[in-house]
Amino acid sequence: MVHIFTHSPSVIQQYVAEIRDKEIQKDRMRFRRNIERMGELVAYEISKHLSYEFREVETPLGTANCQILKNDVVLGTILRAGLPLHHGMLNIFDKADNAIVSAYRKHTSELSFEIQIEYMSAPSLDGKTLILCDPMLATGMSMVAAHKALVSHYGTPSHLHVVSVIASEQGLEYTRHHLPQDTRYWIVALDPEMNAKSYIVPGIGDAGDLCYGEKM
Amino acid sequence: MVHIFTHSPSVIQQYVAEIRDKEIQKDRMRFRRNIERMGELVAYEISKHLSYEFREVETPLGTANCQILKNDVVLGTILRAGLPLHHGMLNIFDKADNAIVSAYRKHTSELSFEIQIEYMSAPSLDGKTLILCDPMLATGMSMVAAHKALVSHYGTPSHLHVVSVIASEQGLEYTRHHLPQDTRYWIVALDPEMNAKSYIVPGIGDAGDLCYGEKM
Amino acid sequence: MVHIFTHSPSVIQQYVAEIRDKEIQKDRMRFRRNIERMGELVAYEISKHLSYEFREVETPLGTANCQILKNDVVLGTILRAGLPLHHGMLNIFDKADNAIVSAYRKHTSELSFEIQIEYMSAPSLDGKTLILCDPMLATGMSMVAAHKALVSHYGTPSHLHVVSVIASEQGLEYTRHHLPQDTRYWIVALDPEMNAKSYIVPGIGDAGDLCYGEKM
Amino acid sequence: MVHIFTHSPSVIQQYVAEIRDKEIQKDRMRFRRNIERMGELVAYEISKHLSYEFREVETPLGTANCQILKNDVVLGTILRAGLPLHHGMLNIFDKADNAIVSAYRKHTSELSFEIQIEYMSAPSLDGKTLILCDPMLATGMSMVAAHKALVSHYGTPSHLHVVSVIASEQGLEYTRHHLPQDTRYWIVALDPEMNAKSYIVPGIGDAGDLCYGEKM
């Protein structure tokens, strides 16, 4: 299942317009806030597909039959650009466990690179619902590498959701080819191309730099 | 159209369970935060029914065809309990105009009252999309009185959305009878009854007190 | 005691520059956020003058002697412009009780007005620490009228703190003349003048409009 | 210079009591929020020691002489426990650049370990004001290793601020011995001891686990 948010109307369209706009991008606080809000709203859409159980709750005036989230959600994020997206998801799933992975493009030449996984921290993932997020799905190689590293160290989730703000068509295809078949994809906007440096076009530029400033 | 959020699964179910629970209610910060999160998620669902227009946006790497919210939204709130709900909606519609109304139950005896409108502040509402929110729709009289006062002073919205966290069946029926026919209702949870003091049962108690402390 | 924040260096200076700037003011989200941040930081400065009591707390690894806020704080706000400032203070004092007052300038001619108090909601104020906030202290008449109305209905606080973002010298003088002598004033920036319409100069314009949009 | 926040009264005392309390710790949202609030208030105190420059700002009603932060702040954080603290600081310094480092205790036996630095991402630090934060300063070895790694790769800051929520006396001493002499230390609470596993006593337990859940 692939859900593309910009294929239907919602306020997320407005946020996408703002994070793409190179003038509005100069306001880092708004840029991060827009990514965070997308994380919140995507998390909410995902929550419609999770499991709940009934519980009787005592109110000051009576008893109500309520539904509680079965708390097996693990929010996974790829550093550093994934942090505001992860933060938004944590605003919605405030009791969730968390997995953090660092992945970066180690260049072997100006235009080619491989993905390096360094830092990893996660709970056991066996039988859990893993929501793995990275704002940019360009080649898709980081997402696939992060998933592979997590599964080989921490076990196999029962459900996998992949979240991305901007994905390239090629990156989405690559990811779908390498991740389990029943993975659900939550893509805010799907862009047609990548340039020679594997940046998504028209895209937004470098999400990490826009959130946190340029790296040396 | 009436949309009841607890009729389908989502994380909102969890928040409803928490605001109803008389133990969890003791944490006012979490109570307000839950109401605020509901405001955010309801605002997002409403946004799926608003109008957008295309705009070309220049990214650092190209040009993208985006959709911008036609900014005619007015967020209306009924004091004081409506403030955290309104705050959540403003987190989503950050450019919206705002209307604020105070309504309170002026008791004519222990068990009967009329609604008193005092403070009002709003822009022109003519042709706007008005989203009017109050966490509790008990008798529905406050909502109807607030709407009437707003329209008679500030003009007639082209679209009206009514938002409530907990509504009684009777209150919803009363409101639907008195507000324009094409009004859309966004009710988080619908409760069957009211007690003799016109509090919703099982409900949550007094939303204003739970957010801000008891009044003298 | 009068504390003027812009008389000494801190990041609040930056926020003041932003809320004054008529270009940056166009971003309502940032405007409200700046007022909210000032509310947080002023609340923190006030908290240095409150009372605490010792309590033993059990940590996972031992026992710690901690200090707990003696929780008698009431956060009072004047509508509607006071809401983001109040919201910031509530972010810091999350357990506080709250008092809400509406005050507006009822014009008797183009250039003269009296202050009308309408909506009021508050707990008993007897012996409490009341922090009363309004972003603009222009003539000072709203603050004095709000204080008078609150005290006559809800009792006399033991400590009074008055918070304002921009105060005119005349407004501060008027307020000091009419409020109890031991009141503490927390003024972010003090401006020299008012214009004929009693707006502070250079000031920021109308704080309510900048937060919430123009009123009809 | 060493500033210990719990040596003087402020609302931070309340937050410290809450993060220490093993019952209140069960609410991860409140735990993270308390760390975040400390990040905000510590950032504000640090901001009193930064440099500002004058700028004329046009308001809607005149011209104001304002002070702008000289924007050379880099917020550095040590993963993963540092993230909520970093998030709070970024709420205050919203335009800051950021440095992220992962450090973990690589155990060579049950009770001994060395610090492993893996992921690093930072701008040039030459001549910048680096604020380096980690909620726990236990042995101090992570902080010293992170500083060393950052400086050797990214250059030498002109000013260094070290921020920690809970520090052990030994950890603070170790850090002061190894970092530049003019470093300023902002310690929320200073605890007397560490146990055999180098956890601070009474402390709070494992800050990362309390924020994000246990690691496998």
Side-chain angles (χ1 to χ4, degrees), chain C residues 195-215:
Chain C
N195 65 15
K197 289 189 172 179
S198 298
Y199 274 89
I200 298 172
V201 177
I204 57 174
D206 186 298
D209 288 1
L210 290 164
C211 288
Y212 294 120
E214 285 186 30
K215 296 187 282 194

Side-chain angles (χ1 to χ4, degrees), chain A residues 15 44-45 48 92 94, chain B residues 15 37 44-45 92 94 202:
Chain A
Y15 306 156
Y44 166 64
E45 289 290 358
K48 297 179 180 176
I92 295 300
D94 58 82
Chain B
Y15 305 157
R37 291 195 282 198
Y44 165 64
E45 289 289 357
I92 295 299
D94 59 82

Side-chain angles (χ1 to χ4, degrees), chain C residues 73-88:
Chain C
V73 173
V74 180
L75 302 176
T77 190
I78 300 176
L79 293 179
R80 64 182 165 146
L83 288 175
L85 195 56
H86 179 257
H87 191 78

Side-chain angles (χ1 to χ4, degrees), chain D residues 2 9 46 48 63 67 70 88 99 103 111 121 139 144 150 152-153 160 168 182 196 198 200-201 211:
Chain D
V2 178
I46 292 175
K48 296 178 181 176
T63 304
Q67 291 188 57
K70 283 189 188 173
L111 296 182
S121 151
T139 63
V144 170
L150 281 170
S152 68
H153 285 75
L160 178 62
S168 76
D182 56 351
S198 298
I200 299 172
V201 177
C211 289

Side-chain angles (χ1 to χ4, degrees), chain D residues 25-163:
Chain D
Q25 284 181 350
K26 290 175 185 166
D27 183 348
R28 276 186 202 169
M29 183 161 76
R30 181 172 281 273
F31 187 87
R32 289 190 302 261
R33 182 73 184 109
N34 276 327
I35 301 279
E36 190 184 310
R37 291 195 280 199
M38 291 181 199
E40 290 168 356
L41 301 180
V42 173
Y44 165 64
E45 289 289 358
I46 292 175
S47 83
K48 296 178 181 176
H49 299 264
L50 300 180
S51 300
Y52 299 82
E53 55 196 0
F54 283 97
R55 185 164 308 169
E56 284 212 336
V57 168
E58 268 193 68
T59 81
L61 299 169
T63 304
N65 206 357
C66 294
Q67 291 188 57
I68 309 280
L69 185 60
K70 283 189 188 173
N71 198 18
D72 64 347
V73 173
V74 179
L75 302 175
T77 191
I78 299 175
L79 293 179
R80 66 187 165 145
L83 288 174
L85 196 56
H86 179 256
H87 191 78
M89 305 198 92
L90 199 49
N91 285 345
I92 296 300
F93 296 119
D94 59 81
K95 303 178 199 319
D97 281 339
N98 296 272
I100 299 174
V101 179
S102 75
Y104 83 104
R105 293 175 169 188
K106 187 176 178 182
H107 280 269
T108 51
S109 74
E110 204 199 341
L111 296 182
S112 65
F113 55 85
E114 48 192 36
I115 299 300
Q116 196 86 7
I117 299 290
E118 291 168 316
Y119 177 78
M120 273 205 300
S121 151
S124 164
L125 299 175
D126 267 326
K128 304 286 181 62
T129 296
L130 177 62
I131 303 175
L132 199 48
C133 61
D134 190 351
M136 307 303 282
L137 203 68
T139 63
M141 287 164 63
S142 292
M143 184 62 84
V144 170
H147 176 261
K148 189 177 167 191
L150 281 170
V151 166
S152 68
H153 285 75
Y154 301 101
T156 305
S158 58
H159 298 85
L160 178 62
H161 299 266
V162 165
V163 175

Side-chain angles (χ1 to χ4, degrees), chain A residues 1 15 32 44 168-169 197 199:
Chain A
M1 192 221 71
Y15 306 156
R32 289 190 303 262
Y44 166 64
S168 77
E169 286 184 7
K197 288 188 173 180
Y199 274 89

Side-chain angles (χ1 to χ4, degrees), chain C residues 15 37 44-45 92 94, chain D residues 15 37 44-45 48 92 94:
Chain C
Y15 306 158
R37 291 195 282 199
Y44 165 65
E45 289 289 358
I92 295 300
D94 59 83
Chain D
Y15 306 157
R37 291 195 280 199
Y44 165 64
E45 289 289 358
K48 296 178 181 176
I92 296 300
D94 59 81

